[in-house]
Each structure stands twice: as C-alpha cells, then as structure tokens.
Amino acid sequence: MDRLLVLVRHGQSEWNLKNLFTGWRDPGLTEKGVAEASRAGALLAAEGLSFDIAYTSLLTRAQRTCQLVLGEMGLADLKTIADQALNERDYGDLSGLNKDDARAKFGEEQVHSWRRSYDVPPPGGESLRDTVARTLPYYVQEILPGVLRGERTLVAAHGNSLRALVMVLEKLSPAGIMKRELATGAPIVYRLGPDATVTEKHDLIV
C-alpha cells in the first residue's frame, strides 16, 4: 500500500516579495509564485505521483497553489478540502508590517524572539506552539487516517502550519523545527509506514 503524503508551501506571495508579515492576511501569488506552484505540479507529475485528495487552508495563496499543482498534474477536479486549521500562523499586530520596519519599531532582539522562539507569540498573535496546537489535531484526526488507508494526499499550506506537521513527521525538537526552512513551492514527499512514521522522504527542488 502506498501511504503517500506530500506537503508543499504556497508559491511566493505578493507580501513575501514586499517582506511583510502576512499571517492571516490574504494577498495573492506573484508571477514567480504562480510559476513555482506550476513547476511543483510538473515535478510531482514527472515523479509519476498522483493524488486521491488534497487539503489546503482558507487563504488564497495556498488555495491557488493547490489548484496550480493539481492542474499541472491533470487533477483539476480532485476533491479538495479547505480548513482554517491549516492557515498560516497569525502574526497579530505584526501583520502587514515590513519586517525591517518592525525591527526598527520593536528592536531586533524582540522581533527575532517573536519570529524564532517556539512559544513566544507576537502581540495579538500566535506562537509556533499555538499554531501546532491548532494544526496538529486536524492532521491527526482528518488527514492522517486517510493516508494510512492508502489515500494519496497533498497538503498545500503555509510555512508555519506545515512546520507543525514536519515537526512530528521528522521528529524534530522545538529548537530544531524553528531552524527548518521550507522553500516556497518546493514539495516534500513522504511515505509512511502503517504506524504513521516516515519510511521514506525526499525533497523536490523547484
């Protein structure tokens, strides 16, 4: 049985390009982001992969990425479930701020703490620990059972909501997951054993 799980972070967004904290704000993809998502689909198709179901967040950049990936694979009509549990980490009061401006306003050390500490939330927002607490139960209850039944599954979401899954799949510590970078539009291909642990993993480079 092929227990396939593929994670892909959305392609470059307009606010990625502008170096803004995005969180739950809803900018679209740039031209580069569209190309990254399409290329991800082409790479997955070239690997001979296919999917039975897809999951994404409620945010446009992830949904559009999911559509582009599936379209490139000839799977435009695939059942796709969108859920807030897969939304990006909520950056609260930082949302919409340029990251350099935020450093000037709050100080380099404080902004670094908000961005790279596991359990320190920005004002009005979520820490990565909060994001894990939202995303991981959804994975365990809604996504994983299908994967274990042999449903080949795509998850197109965000850097931090995907980190919540990568943390468990790759057995990373809180410190380790904060150092784990996820490139835009670059699929991570996992195959799982019957006990839900990873038996095979490789990254597709866009």
Side-chain angles (χ1 to χ4, degrees):
M1 182 187 296
D2 191 12
R3 302 179 186 88
L4 175 69
L5 173 65
V6 174
L7 309 182
V8 61
R9 182 184 173 193
H10 62 79
Q12 183 192 62
S13 76
E14 293 162 355
W15 282 21
N16 290 146
L17 180 62
K18 294 176 180 177
N19 200 32
L20 305 180
F21 285 101
T22 309
W24 284 31
R25 303 289 182 88
D26 203 20
L29 298 179
T30 62
E31 287 186 16
K32 179 182 178 182
V34 169
E36 286 175 337
S38 297
R39 177 66 175 155
L43 286 171
L44 289 164
E47 290 280 313
L49 301 179
S50 189
F51 297 109
D52 301 304
I53 192 167
Y55 293 86
T56 189
S57 77
L58 296 186
L59 299 171
T60 300
R61 57 195 184 276
Q63 293 186 7
R64 180 73 174 132
T65 295
C66 192
Q67 292 166 354
L68 289 164
V69 168
L70 294 175
E72 284 289 329
M73 300 180 73
L75 298 171
D77 296 327
L78 190 74
K79 179 180 179 180
T80 301
I81 298 171
D83 198 282
Q84 182 174 295
L86 294 173
N87 276 18
E88 176 58 296
R89 174 183 170 189
D90 184 356
Y91 277 105
D93 295 350
L94 297 182
S95 300
L97 282 181
N98 181 280
K99 292 173 184 176
D100 293 330
D101 293 343
R103 292 185 190 98
K105 181 176 181 179
F106 299 108
E108 177 83 36
E109 187 174 334
Q110 180 63 76
V111 172
H112 182 78
S113 177
W114 286 331
R115 292 190 68 195
R116 293 304 181 194
S117 294
Y118 181 68
D119 55 3
V120 179
E126 295 178 310
S127 65
L128 182 57
R129 182 172 66 180
D130 297 328
T131 308
V132 170
R134 163 167 59 81
T135 303
L136 190 56
Y138 183 77
Y139 168 71
V140 171
Q141 295 164 19
E142 303 296 332
I143 299 175
L144 181 59
V147 176
L148 295 180
R149 288 195 301 269
E151 289 182 355
R152 297 163 298 175
T153 300
L154 171 69
V155 180
H158 307 266
N160 285 297
S161 56
L162 292 178
R163 276 193 180 97
L165 307 189
V166 170
M167 185 177 180
V168 170
L169 289 163
E170 299 184 13
K171 299 180 179 178
L172 298 176
S173 68
I177 194 58
M178 295 310 300
K179 297 174 184 174
R180 180 72 157 84
E181 294 296 334
L182 301 178
T184 51
I188 310 170
V189 179
Y190 297 97
R191 283 186 166 84
L192 306 186
D195 61 353
T197 61
V198 175
T199 60
E200 180 185 328
K201 175 232 167 190
H202 69 281
D203 298 278
L204 299 182
I205 307 301
V206 176

